Amino acid sequence: YELRQYETAKWVSTVIRGETQKEAMRQGFWKLFHYIQGKNEKEMKIDMTVPVTCLIKSGCADFKVSFFVPFEHQDSPPQPTDSDVFIEERKAAAVFVRSFGGFASPEKYAEEAEVLARTLRNRGQPFHEDFFYTAGYDSPFKLFNRHNEVWYFKK
């Protein structure tokens, strides 16, 4: 694993409730994709960025799917016109990251998160155990050298 320091940044997000993680990711992706395609108050097209993250909270059936807002729009991202889509500011944070390849399923993300959690516990690293993020970096059409991550926030 690695420890990264992320600066405060804005993300465009949506929360999908009561679906499987796979279905929540699909629905969330399309809501956010419509936002960057111009479903915002400026009717502005915005470049797709990576990663696409999904917040997983233990014992919770809500999934927050997010796109990173490109640097040129960080100061004033266009407001979404879909009431289910919102801009959020994530505070600066230290994040433990485990990277892995292949096509990531919800099961694979959970497995990798468990490996990371176990490693952090064994090394006495304090972290927020009640949630983690999945991070995907590749289009579904990329077949090789795929990059995925799981993130736990340092306490």
PDB file of all heavy atoms in Angstrom, residues 1-37:
ATOM      1  N   TYR A   1       0.848  -1.192   0.000  1.00  0.00           N
ATOM      2  CA  TYR A   1       0.000   0.000   0.000  1.00  0.00           C
ATOM      3  C   TYR A   1       0.874   1.228   0.000  1.00  0.00           C
ATOM      4  O   TYR A   1       2.074   1.147   0.223  1.00  0.00           O
ATOM      5  CB  TYR A   1      -0.951  -0.008   1.200  1.00  0.00           C
ATOM      6  CG  TYR A   1      -0.294   0.223   2.545  1.00  0.00           C
ATOM      7  CD1 TYR A   1      -0.135   1.507   3.053  1.00  0.00           C
ATOM      8  CD2 TYR A   1       0.185  -0.836   3.311  1.00  0.00           C
ATOM      9  CE1 TYR A   1       0.462   1.735   4.273  1.00  0.00           C
ATOM     10  CE2 TYR A   1       0.784  -0.624   4.540  1.00  0.00           C
ATOM     11  CZ  TYR A   1       0.917   0.668   5.018  1.00  0.00           C
ATOM     12  OH  TYR A   1       1.515   0.889   6.225  1.00  0.00           O
ATOM     13  N   GLU A   2       0.256   2.357  -0.267  1.00  0.00           N
ATOM     14  CA  GLU A   2       0.970   3.627  -0.157  1.00  0.00           C
ATOM     15  C   GLU A   2       0.099   4.600   0.622  1.00  0.00           C
ATOM     16  O   GLU A   2      -1.118   4.420   0.714  1.00  0.00           O
ATOM     17  CB  GLU A   2       1.332   4.192  -1.533  1.00  0.00           C
ATOM     18  CG  GLU A   2       0.147   4.510  -2.402  1.00  0.00           C
ATOM     19  CD  GLU A   2       0.523   5.061  -3.778  1.00  0.00           C
ATOM     20  OE1 GLU A   2       1.104   6.167  -3.816  1.00  0.00           O
ATOM     21  OE2 GLU A   2       0.235   4.404  -4.778  1.00  0.00           O
ATOM     22  N   LEU A   3       0.748   5.612   1.186  1.00  0.00           N
ATOM     23  CA  LEU A   3       0.036   6.675   1.887  1.00  0.00           C
ATOM     24  C   LEU A   3       0.136   7.921   1.024  1.00  0.00           C
ATOM     25  O   LEU A   3       1.228   8.369   0.700  1.00  0.00           O
ATOM     26  CB  LEU A   3       0.665   6.914   3.262  1.00  0.00           C
ATOM     27  CG  LEU A   3       0.057   8.041   4.105  1.00  0.00           C
ATOM     28  CD1 LEU A   3      -1.428   7.803   4.366  1.00  0.00           C
ATOM     29  CD2 LEU A   3       0.808   8.162   5.429  1.00  0.00           C
ATOM     30  N   ARG A   4      -1.031   8.454   0.607  1.00  0.00           N
ATOM     31  CA  ARG A   4      -1.065   9.658  -0.226  1.00  0.00           C
ATOM     32  C   ARG A   4      -1.677  10.804   0.556  1.00  0.00           C
ATOM     33  O   ARG A   4      -2.572  10.586   1.364  1.00  0.00           O
ATOM     34  CB  ARG A   4      -1.965   9.438  -1.458  1.00  0.00           C
ATOM     35  CG  ARG A   4      -1.363   8.565  -2.494  1.00  0.00           C
ATOM     36  CD  ARG A   4      -2.230   8.589  -3.747  1.00  0.00           C
ATOM     37  NE  ARG A   4      -1.905   7.430  -4.551  1.00  0.00           N
ATOM     38  CZ  ARG A   4      -2.787   6.751  -5.270  1.00  0.00           C
ATOM     39  NH1 ARG A   4      -4.054   7.130  -5.309  1.00  0.00           N
ATOM     40  NH2 ARG A   4      -2.410   5.711  -5.960  1.00  0.00           N
ATOM     41  N   GLN A   5      -1.238  11.996   0.228  1.00  0.00           N
ATOM     42  CA  GLN A   5      -1.832  13.201   0.800  1.00  0.00           C
ATOM     43  C   GLN A   5      -2.630  13.883  -0.313  1.00  0.00           C
ATOM     44  O   GLN A   5      -2.066  14.238  -1.339  1.00  0.00           O
ATOM     45  CB  GLN A   5      -0.737  14.135   1.321  1.00  0.00           C
ATOM     46  CG  GLN A   5      -1.262  15.372   2.013  1.00  0.00           C
ATOM     47  CD  GLN A   5      -2.041  15.075   3.289  1.00  0.00           C
ATOM     48  OE1 GLN A   5      -1.651  14.254   4.095  1.00  0.00           O
ATOM     49  NE2 GLN A   5      -3.178  15.741   3.449  1.00  0.00           N
ATOM     50  N   TYR A   6      -3.934  13.989  -0.119  1.00  0.00           N
ATOM     51  CA  TYR A   6      -4.779  14.676  -1.098  1.00  0.00           C
ATOM     52  C   TYR A   6      -5.126  16.061  -0.577  1.00  0.00           C
ATOM     53  O   TYR A   6      -5.432  16.225   0.602  1.00  0.00           O
ATOM     54  CB  TYR A   6      -6.069  13.895  -1.356  1.00  0.00           C
ATOM     55  CG  TYR A   6      -5.877  12.712  -2.279  1.00  0.00           C
ATOM     56  CD1 TYR A   6      -5.953  11.409  -1.811  1.00  0.00           C
ATOM     57  CD2 TYR A   6      -5.615  12.903  -3.630  1.00  0.00           C
ATOM     58  CE1 TYR A   6      -5.774  10.323  -2.665  1.00  0.00           C
ATOM     59  CE2 TYR A   6      -5.433  11.837  -4.490  1.00  0.00           C
ATOM     60  CZ  TYR A   6      -5.515  10.550  -3.999  1.00  0.00           C
ATOM     61  OH  TYR A   6      -5.336   9.490  -4.852  1.00  0.00           O
ATOM     62  N   GLU A   7      -5.081  17.035  -1.466  1.00  0.00           N
ATOM     63  CA  GLU A   7      -5.480  18.399  -1.110  1.00  0.00           C
ATOM     64  C   GLU A   7      -7.011  18.497  -1.146  1.00  0.00           C
ATOM     65  O   GLU A   7      -7.675  17.660  -1.743  1.00  0.00           O
ATOM     66  CB  GLU A   7      -4.867  19.393  -2.101  1.00  0.00           C
ATOM     67  CG  GLU A   7      -3.346  19.423  -2.085  1.00  0.00           C
ATOM     68  CD  GLU A   7      -2.763  19.617  -0.694  1.00  0.00           C
ATOM     69  OE1 GLU A   7      -3.245  20.499   0.043  1.00  0.00           O
ATOM     70  OE2 GLU A   7      -1.838  18.863  -0.323  1.00  0.00           O
ATOM     71  N   THR A   8      -7.531  19.567  -0.549  1.00  0.00           N
ATOM     72  CA  THR A   8      -8.959  19.850  -0.622  1.00  0.00           C
ATOM     73  C   THR A   8      -9.350  19.963  -2.104  1.00  0.00           C
ATOM     74  O   THR A   8      -8.614  20.579  -2.879  1.00  0.00           O
ATOM     75  CB  THR A   8      -9.285  21.162   0.113  1.00  0.00           C
ATOM     76  OG1 THR A   8      -8.931  20.994   1.482  1.00  0.00           O
ATOM     77  CG2 THR A   8     -10.748  21.539   0.000  1.00  0.00           C
ATOM     78  N   ALA A   9     -10.458  19.342  -2.488  1.00  0.00           N
ATOM     79  CA  ALA A   9     -10.872  19.375  -3.894  1.00  0.00           C
ATOM     80  C   ALA A   9     -12.373  19.163  -4.011  1.00  0.00           C
ATOM     81  O   ALA A   9     -13.001  18.574  -3.133  1.00  0.00           O
ATOM     82  CB  ALA A   9     -10.135  18.300  -4.690  1.00  0.00           C
ATOM     83  N   LYS A  10     -12.912  19.652  -5.125  1.00  0.00           N
ATOM     84  CA  LYS A  10     -14.340  19.485  -5.398  1.00  0.00           C
ATOM     85  C   LYS A  10     -14.578  18.271  -6.289  1.00  0.00           C
ATOM     86  O   LYS A  10     -13.802  17.991  -7.205  1.00  0.00           O
ATOM     87  CB  LYS A  10     -14.902  20.743  -6.053  1.00  0.00           C
ATOM     88  CG  LYS A  10     -14.907  21.924  -5.108  1.00  0.00           C
ATOM     89  CD  LYS A  10     -15.660  23.101  -5.700  1.00  0.00           C
ATOM     90  CE  LYS A  10     -15.701  24.258  -4.734  1.00  0.00           C
ATOM     91  NZ  LYS A  10     -14.511  25.119  -4.841  1.00  0.00           N
ATOM     92  N   TRP A  11     -15.663  17.584  -5.975  1.00  0.00           N
ATOM     93  CA  TRP A  11     -16.104  16.408  -6.731  1.00  0.00           C
ATOM     94  C   TRP A  11     -17.579  16.608  -7.049  1.00  0.00           C
ATOM     95  O   TRP A  11     -18.298  17.245  -6.282  1.00  0.00           O
ATOM     96  CB  TRP A  11     -15.949  15.148  -5.876  1.00  0.00           C
ATOM     97  CG  TRP A  11     -14.529  14.800  -5.535  1.00  0.00           C
ATOM     98  CD1 TRP A  11     -13.685  15.478  -4.690  1.00  0.00           C
ATOM     99  CD2 TRP A  11     -13.778  13.690  -6.035  1.00  0.00           C
ATOM    100  NE1 TRP A  11     -12.461  14.849  -4.642  1.00  0.00           N
ATOM    101  CE2 TRP A  11     -12.498  13.753  -5.441  1.00  0.00           C
ATOM    102  CE3 TRP A  11     -14.070  12.639  -6.914  1.00  0.00           C
ATOM    103  CZ2 TRP A  11     -11.506  12.804  -5.715  1.00  0.00           C
ATOM    104  CZ3 TRP A  11     -13.089  11.705  -7.172  1.00  0.00           C
ATOM    105  CH2 TRP A  11     -11.815  11.784  -6.588  1.00  0.00           C
ATOM    106  N   VAL A  12     -18.025  16.070  -8.175  1.00  0.00           N
ATOM    107  CA  VAL A  12     -19.449  16.060  -8.478  1.00  0.00           C
ATOM    108  C   VAL A  12     -19.931  14.649  -8.119  1.00  0.00           C
ATOM    109  O   VAL A  12     -19.297  13.657  -8.482  1.00  0.00           O
ATOM    110  CB  VAL A  12     -19.758  16.460  -9.947  1.00  0.00           C
ATOM    111  CG1 VAL A  12     -19.086  15.544 -10.948  1.00  0.00           C
ATOM    112  CG2 VAL A  12     -21.257  16.532 -10.171  1.00  0.00           C
ATOM    113  N   SER A  13     -21.019  14.590  -7.353  1.00  0.00           N
ATOM    114  CA  SER A  13     -21.437  13.317  -6.760  1.00  0.00           C
ATOM    115  C   SER A  13     -22.930  13.097  -6.866  1.00  0.00           C
ATOM    116  O   SER A  13     -23.705  14.037  -7.063  1.00  0.00           O
ATOM    117  CB  SER A  13     -21.054  13.284  -5.269  1.00  0.00           C
ATOM    118  OG  SER A  13     -19.673  13.473  -5.098  1.00  0.00           O
ATOM    119  N   THR A  14     -23.332  11.843  -6.680  1.00  0.00           N
ATOM    120  CA  THR A  14     -24.729  11.468  -6.558  1.00  0.00           C
ATOM    121  C   THR A  14     -24.798  10.274  -5.622  1.00  0.00           C
ATOM    122  O   THR A  14     -23.854   9.485  -5.557  1.00  0.00           O
ATOM    123  CB  THR A  14     -25.369  11.162  -7.937  1.00  0.00           C
ATOM    124  OG1 THR A  14     -26.778  10.962  -7.767  1.00  0.00           O
ATOM    125  CG2 THR A  14     -24.760   9.924  -8.594  1.00  0.00           C
ATOM    126  N   VAL A  15     -25.895  10.163  -4.882  1.00  0.00           N
ATOM    127  CA  VAL A  15     -26.080   9.024  -3.986  1.00  0.00           C
ATOM    128  C   VAL A  15     -27.185   8.141  -4.566  1.00  0.00           C
ATOM    129  O   VAL A  15     -28.274   8.617  -4.871  1.00  0.00           O
ATOM    130  CB  VAL A  15     -26.446   9.483  -2.554  1.00  0.00           C
ATOM    131  CG1 VAL A  15     -26.747   8.278  -1.658  1.00  0.00           C
ATOM    132  CG2 VAL A  15     -25.315  10.320  -1.966  1.00  0.00           C
ATOM    133  N   ILE A  16     -26.864   6.872  -4.743  1.00  0.00           N
ATOM    134  CA  ILE A  16     -27.839   5.897  -5.238  1.00  0.00           C
ATOM    135  C   ILE A  16     -28.208   5.002  -4.056  1.00  0.00           C
ATOM    136  O   ILE A  16     -27.330   4.422  -3.415  1.00  0.00           O
ATOM    137  CB  ILE A  16     -27.249   5.052  -6.402  1.00  0.00           C
ATOM    138  CG1 ILE A  16     -26.693   5.952  -7.511  1.00  0.00           C
ATOM    139  CG2 ILE A  16     -28.288   4.062  -6.927  1.00  0.00           C
ATOM    140  CD1 ILE A  16     -27.713   6.778  -8.271  1.00  0.00           C
ATOM    141  N   ARG A  17     -29.501   4.915  -3.796  1.00  0.00           N
ATOM    142  CA  ARG A  17     -29.978   4.163  -2.624  1.00  0.00           C
ATOM    143  C   ARG A  17     -30.671   2.873  -3.036  1.00  0.00           C
ATOM    144  O   ARG A  17     -31.380   2.833  -4.033  1.00  0.00           O
ATOM    145  CB  ARG A  17     -30.969   5.006  -1.828  1.00  0.00           C
ATOM    146  CG  ARG A  17     -30.339   6.228  -1.218  1.00  0.00           C
ATOM    147  CD  ARG A  17     -31.328   7.070  -0.405  1.00  0.00           C
ATOM    148  NE  ARG A  17     -30.579   8.093   0.334  1.00  0.00           N
ATOM    149  CZ  ARG A  17     -30.203   9.249  -0.188  1.00  0.00           C
ATOM    150  NH1 ARG A  17     -30.516   9.561  -1.425  1.00  0.00           N
ATOM    151  NH2 ARG A  17     -29.511  10.120   0.533  1.00  0.00           N
ATOM    152  N   GLY A  18     -30.466   1.843  -2.220  1.00  0.00           N
ATOM    153  CA  GLY A  18     -31.253   0.618  -2.337  1.00  0.00           C
ATOM    154  C   GLY A  18     -30.996  -0.207  -3.586  1.00  0.00           C
ATOM    155  O   GLY A  18     -31.868  -0.934  -4.036  1.00  0.00           O
ATOM    156  N   GLU A  19     -29.814  -0.073  -4.169  1.00  0.00           N
ATOM    157  CA  GLU A  19     -29.449  -0.916  -5.318  1.00  0.00           C
ATOM    158  C   GLU A  19     -28.210  -1.715  -4.930  1.00  0.00           C
ATOM    159  O   GLU A  19     -27.562  -1.416  -3.937  1.00  0.00           O
ATOM    160  CB  GLU A  19     -29.116  -0.043  -6.543  1.00  0.00           C
ATOM    161  CG  GLU A  19     -30.267   0.787  -7.087  1.00  0.00           C
ATOM    162  CD  GLU A  19     -31.335  -0.038  -7.793  1.00  0.00           C
ATOM    163  OE1 GLU A  19     -31.112  -1.237  -8.031  1.00  0.00           O
ATOM    164  OE2 GLU A  19     -32.390   0.530  -8.093  1.00  0.00           O
ATOM    165  N   THR A  20     -27.876  -2.701  -5.760  1.00  0.00           N
ATOM    166  CA  THR A  20     -26.602  -3.383  -5.565  1.00  0.00           C
ATOM    167  C   THR A  20     -25.491  -2.390  -5.894  1.00  0.00           C
ATOM    168  O   THR A  20     -25.728  -1.394  -6.590  1.00  0.00           O
ATOM    169  CB  THR A  20     -26.469  -4.596  -6.502  1.00  0.00           C
ATOM    170  OG1 THR A  20     -26.480  -4.105  -7.859  1.00  0.00           O
ATOM    171  CG2 THR A  20     -27.595  -5.601  -6.307  1.00  0.00           C
ATOM    172  N   GLN A  21     -24.293  -2.681  -5.422  1.00  0.00           N
ATOM    173  CA  GLN A  21     -23.169  -1.778  -5.709  1.00  0.00           C
ATOM    174  C   GLN A  21     -22.950  -1.656  -7.206  1.00  0.00           C
ATOM    175  O   GLN A  21     -22.728  -0.559  -7.720  1.00  0.00           O
ATOM    176  CB  GLN A  21     -21.906  -2.297  -5.011  1.00  0.00           C
ATOM    177  CG  GLN A  21     -20.708  -1.379  -5.193  1.00  0.00           C
ATOM    178  CD  GLN A  21     -19.469  -1.925  -4.508  1.00  0.00           C
ATOM    179  OE1 GLN A  21     -19.559  -2.754  -3.610  1.00  0.00           O
ATOM    180  NE2 GLN A  21     -18.315  -1.463  -4.930  1.00  0.00           N
ATOM    181  N   LYS A  22     -23.051  -2.773  -7.914  1.00  0.00           N
ATOM    182  CA  LYS A  22     -22.820  -2.749  -9.367  1.00  0.00           C
ATOM    183  C   LYS A  22     -23.860  -1.861 -10.064  1.00  0.00           C
ATOM    184  O   LYS A  22     -23.519  -1.044 -10.914  1.00  0.00           O
ATOM    185  CB  LYS A  22     -22.863  -4.179  -9.906  1.00  0.00           C
ATOM    186  CG  LYS A  22     -22.442  -4.282 -11.352  1.00  0.00           C
ATOM    187  CD  LYS A  22     -22.328  -5.729 -11.800  1.00  0.00           C
ATOM    188  CE  LYS A  22     -21.766  -5.756 -13.195  1.00  0.00           C
ATOM    189  NZ  LYS A  22     -21.137  -7.022 -13.506  1.00  0.00           N
ATOM    190  N   GLU A  23     -25.119  -2.014  -9.683  1.00  0.00           N
ATOM    191  CA  GLU A  23     -26.195  -1.221 -10.274  1.00  0.00           C
ATOM    192  C   GLU A  23     -26.075   0.250  -9.852  1.00  0.00           C
ATOM    193  O   GLU A  23     -26.302   1.154 -10.658  1.00  0.00           O
ATOM    194  CB  GLU A  23     -27.562  -1.795  -9.879  1.00  0.00           C
ATOM    195  CG  GLU A  23     -28.754  -1.051 -10.443  1.00  0.00           C
ATOM    196  CD  GLU A  23     -28.793  -0.947 -11.970  1.00  0.00           C
ATOM    197  OE1 GLU A  23     -28.128  -1.740 -12.681  1.00  0.00           O
ATOM    198  OE2 GLU A  23     -29.492  -0.048 -12.462  1.00  0.00           O
ATOM    199  N   ALA A  24     -25.694   0.493  -8.604  1.00  0.00           N
ATOM    200  CA  ALA A  24     -25.499   1.873  -8.124  1.00  0.00           C
ATOM    201  C   ALA A  24     -24.387   2.555  -8.921  1.00  0.00           C
ATOM    202  O   ALA A  24     -24.514   3.717  -9.310  1.00  0.00           O
ATOM    203  CB  ALA A  24     -25.180   1.873  -6.631  1.00  0.00           C
ATOM    204  N   MET A  25     -23.301   1.825  -9.187  1.00  0.00           N
ATOM    205  CA  MET A  25     -22.202   2.380  -9.975  1.00  0.00           C
ATOM    206  C   MET A  25     -22.678   2.733 -11.389  1.00  0.00           C
ATOM    207  O   MET A  25     -22.348   3.788 -11.913  1.00  0.00           O
ATOM    208  CB  MET A  25     -21.033   1.388 -10.065  1.00  0.00           C
ATOM    209  CG  MET A  25     -20.164   1.344  -8.835  1.00  0.00           C
ATOM    210  SD  MET A  25     -19.282   2.892  -8.513  1.00  0.00           S
ATOM    211  CE  MET A  25     -18.143   2.947  -9.884  1.00  0.00           C
ATOM    212  N   ARG A  26     -23.477   1.849 -11.972  1.00  0.00           N
ATOM    213  CA  ARG A  26     -23.975   2.083 -13.329  1.00  0.00           C
ATOM    214  C   ARG A  26     -24.877   3.328 -13.346  1.00  0.00           C
ATOM    215  O   ARG A  26     -24.682   4.239 -14.146  1.00  0.00           O
ATOM    216  CB  ARG A  26     -24.734   0.845 -13.833  1.00  0.00           C
ATOM    217  CG  ARG A  26     -25.067   0.882 -15.328  1.00  0.00           C
ATOM    218  CD  ARG A  26     -25.991  -0.256 -15.739  1.00  0.00           C
ATOM    219  NE  ARG A  26     -27.329  -0.096 -15.186  1.00  0.00           N
ATOM    220  CZ  ARG A  26     -28.228   0.802 -15.626  1.00  0.00           C
ATOM    221  NH1 ARG A  26     -27.928   1.614 -16.621  1.00  0.00           N
ATOM    222  NH2 ARG A  26     -29.418   0.882 -15.065  1.00  0.00           N
ATOM    223  N   GLN A  27     -25.865   3.350 -12.452  1.00  0.00           N
ATOM    224  CA  GLN A  27     -26.795   4.490 -12.410  1.00  0.00           C
ATOM    225  C   GLN A  27     -26.066   5.787 -12.075  1.00  0.00           C
ATOM    226  O   GLN A  27     -26.314   6.829 -12.690  1.00  0.00           O
ATOM    227  CB  GLN A  27     -27.885   4.253 -11.363  1.00  0.00           C
ATOM    228  CG  GLN A  27     -28.933   3.255 -11.782  1.00  0.00           C
ATOM    229  CD  GLN A  27     -30.030   3.127 -10.727  1.00  0.00           C
ATOM    230  OE1 GLN A  27     -30.262   4.039  -9.928  1.00  0.00           O
ATOM    231  NE2 GLN A  27     -30.700   1.998 -10.715  1.00  0.00           N
ATOM    232  N   GLY A  28     -25.176   5.722 -11.078  1.00  0.00           N
ATOM    233  CA  GLY A  28     -24.435   6.908 -10.656  1.00  0.00           C
ATOM    234  C   GLY A  28     -23.550   7.433 -11.771  1.00  0.00           C
ATOM    235  O   GLY A  28     -23.495   8.644 -12.021  1.00  0.00           O
ATOM    236  N   PHE A  29     -22.868   6.512 -12.457  1.00  0.00           N
ATOM    237  CA  PHE A  29     -21.993   6.916 -13.561  1.00  0.00           C
ATOM    238  C   PHE A  29     -22.791   7.708 -14.593  1.00  0.00           C
ATOM    239  O   PHE A  29     -22.366   8.784 -15.020  1.00  0.00           O
ATOM    240  CB  PHE A  29     -21.347   5.690 -14.226  1.00  0.00           C
ATOM    241  CG  PHE A  29     -20.480   6.070 -15.393  1.00  0.00           C
ATOM    242  CD1 PHE A  29     -19.138   6.380 -15.207  1.00  0.00           C
ATOM    243  CD2 PHE A  29     -21.009   6.167 -16.681  1.00  0.00           C
ATOM    244  CE1 PHE A  29     -18.342   6.773 -16.279  1.00  0.00           C
ATOM    245  CE2 PHE A  29     -20.226   6.558 -17.758  1.00  0.00           C
ATOM    246  CZ  PHE A  29     -18.887   6.856 -17.553  1.00  0.00           C
ATOM    247  N   TRP A  30     -23.970   7.185 -14.984  1.00  0.00           N
ATOM    248  CA  TRP A  30     -24.735   7.867 -16.037  1.00  0.00           C
ATOM    249  C   TRP A  30     -25.265   9.220 -15.586  1.00  0.00           C
ATOM    250  O   TRP A  30     -25.268  10.182 -16.355  1.00  0.00           O
ATOM    251  CB  TRP A  30     -25.844   6.959 -16.586  1.00  0.00           C
ATOM    252  CG  TRP A  30     -25.232   5.910 -17.457  1.00  0.00           C
ATOM    253  CD1 TRP A  30     -25.117   4.570 -17.201  1.00  0.00           C
ATOM    254  CD2 TRP A  30     -24.563   6.120 -18.713  1.00  0.00           C
ATOM    255  NE1 TRP A  30     -24.419   3.950 -18.209  1.00  0.00           N
ATOM    256  CE2 TRP A  30     -24.071   4.869 -19.152  1.00  0.00           C
ATOM    257  CE3 TRP A  30     -24.318   7.244 -19.506  1.00  0.00           C
ATOM    258  CZ2 TRP A  30     -23.365   4.715 -20.348  1.00  0.00           C
ATOM    259  CZ3 TRP A  30     -23.617   7.085 -20.689  1.00  0.00           C
ATOM    260  CH2 TRP A  30     -23.150   5.834 -21.096  1.00  0.00           C
ATOM    261  N   LYS A  31     -25.696   9.341 -14.319  1.00  0.00           N
ATOM    262  CA  LYS A  31     -26.144  10.651 -13.814  1.00  0.00           C
ATOM    263  C   LYS A  31     -24.999  11.667 -13.904  1.00  0.00           C
ATOM    264  O   LYS A  31     -25.200  12.801 -14.327  1.00  0.00           O
ATOM    265  CB  LYS A  31     -26.616  10.531 -12.364  1.00  0.00           C
ATOM    266  CG  LYS A  31     -28.019   9.997 -12.216  1.00  0.00           C
ATOM    267  CD  LYS A  31     -28.445  10.019 -10.765  1.00  0.00           C
ATOM    268  CE  LYS A  31     -29.844   9.531 -10.582  1.00  0.00           C
ATOM    269  NZ  LYS A  31     -30.860  10.458 -11.079  1.00  0.00           N
ATOM    270  N   LEU A  32     -23.805  11.243 -13.492  1.00  0.00           N
ATOM    271  CA  LEU A  32     -22.653  12.147 -13.503  1.00  0.00           C
ATOM    272  C   LEU A  32     -22.168  12.411 -14.931  1.00  0.00           C
ATOM    273  O   LEU A  32     -21.747  13.528 -15.254  1.00  0.00           O
ATOM    274  CB  LEU A  32     -21.521  11.575 -12.644  1.00  0.00           C
ATOM    275  CG  LEU A  32     -21.896  11.387 -11.166  1.00  0.00           C
ATOM    276  CD1 LEU A  32     -20.775  10.680 -10.429  1.00  0.00           C
ATOM    277  CD2 LEU A  32     -22.246  12.711 -10.500  1.00  0.00           C
ATOM    278  N   PHE A  33     -22.260  11.392 -15.775  1.00  0.00           N
ATOM    279  CA  PHE A  33     -21.860  11.556 -17.175  1.00  0.00           C
ATOM    280  C   PHE A  33     -22.746  12.604 -17.850  1.00  0.00           C
ATOM    281  O   PHE A  33     -22.263  13.465 -18.588  1.00  0.00           O
ATOM    282  CB  PHE A  33     -21.922  10.221 -17.915  1.00  0.00           C
ATOM    283  CG  PHE A  33     -21.358  10.290 -19.299  1.00  0.00           C
ATOM    284  CD1 PHE A  33     -19.979  10.342 -19.499  1.00  0.00           C
ATOM    285  CD2 PHE A  33     -22.193  10.318 -20.413  1.00  0.00           C
ATOM    286  CE1 PHE A  33     -19.448  10.422 -20.779  1.00  0.00           C
ATOM    287  CE2 PHE A  33     -21.669  10.395 -21.698  1.00  0.00           C
ATOM    288  CZ  PHE A  33     -20.298  10.449 -21.882  1.00  0.00           C
ATOM    289  N   HIS A  34     -24.065  12.568 -17.568  1.00  0.00           N
ATOM    290  CA  HIS A  34     -24.974  13.575 -18.136  1.00  0.00           C
ATOM    291  C   HIS A  34     -24.583  14.976 -17.651  1.00  0.00           C
ATOM    292  O   HIS A  34     -24.639  15.939 -18.421  1.00  0.00           O
ATOM    293  CB  HIS A  34     -26.432  13.264 -17.780  1.00  0.00           C
ATOM    294  CG  HIS A  34     -26.950  12.029 -18.446  1.00  0.00           C
ATOM    295  ND1 HIS A  34     -26.835  11.797 -19.793  1.00  0.00           N
ATOM    296  CD2 HIS A  34     -27.581  10.940 -17.941  1.00  0.00           C
ATOM    297  CE1 HIS A  34     -27.368  10.618 -20.087  1.00  0.00           C
ATOM    298  NE2 HIS A  34     -27.805  10.075 -18.983  1.00  0.00           N
ATOM    299  N   TYR A  35     -24.176  15.081 -16.384  1.00  0.00           N
ATOM    300  CA  TYR A  35     -23.717  16.372 -15.852  1.00  0.00           C
ATOM    301  C   TYR A  35     -22.533  16.897 -16.674  1.00  0.00           C
ATOM    302  O   TYR A  35     -22.546  18.054 -17.109  1.00  0.00           O
ATOM    303  CB  TYR A  35     -23.326  16.232 -14.372  1.00  0.00           C
ATOM    304  CG  TYR A  35     -22.550  17.423 -13.848  1.00  0.00           C
ATOM    305  CD1 TYR A  35     -23.206  18.587 -13.443  1.00  0.00           C
ATOM    306  CD2 TYR A  35     -21.162  17.391 -13.768  1.00  0.00           C
ATOM    307  CE1 TYR A  35     -22.489  19.696 -12.981  1.00  0.00           C
ATOM    308  CE2 TYR A  35     -20.437  18.494 -13.300  1.00  0.00           C
ATOM    309  CZ  TYR A  35     -21.107  19.633 -12.915  1.00  0.00           C
ATOM    310  OH  TYR A  35     -20.396  20.721 -12.462  1.00  0.00           O
ATOM    311  N   ILE A  36     -21.517  16.079 -16.906  1.00  0.00           N
ATOM    312  CA  ILE A  36     -20.342  16.568 -17.647  1.00  0.00           C
ATOM    313  C   ILE A  36     -20.635  16.761 -19.133  1.00  0.00           C
ATOM    314  O   ILE A  36     -19.926  17.491 -19.804  1.00  0.00           O
ATOM    315  CB  ILE A  36     -19.070  15.701 -17.432  1.00  0.00           C
ATOM    316  CG1 ILE A  36     -19.228  14.306 -18.018  1.00  0.00           C
ATOM    317  CG2 ILE A  36     -18.660  15.669 -15.964  1.00  0.00           C
ATOM    318  CD1 ILE A  36     -17.930  13.492 -18.037  1.00  0.00           C
ATOM    319  N   GLN A  37     -21.701  16.130 -19.623  1.00  0.00           N
ATOM    320  CA  GLN A  37     -22.094  16.327 -21.021  1.00  0.00           C
ATOM    321  C   GLN A  37     -22.939  17.586 -21.214  1.00  0.00           C
ATOM    322  O   GLN A  37     -23.391  17.857 -22.316  1.00  0.00           O
ATOM    323  CB  GLN A  37     -22.875  15.106 -21.524  1.00  0.00           C
ATOM    324  CG  GLN A  37     -22.008  13.884 -21.751  1.00  0.00           C
ATOM    325  CD  GLN A  37     -20.962  14.127 -22.818  1.00  0.00           C
ATOM    326  OE1 GLN A  37     -21.261  14.425 -23.957  1.00  0.00           O
ATOM    327  NE2 GLN A  37     -19.696  14.033 -22.433  1.00  0.00           N
TER     328      GLN A  37
END
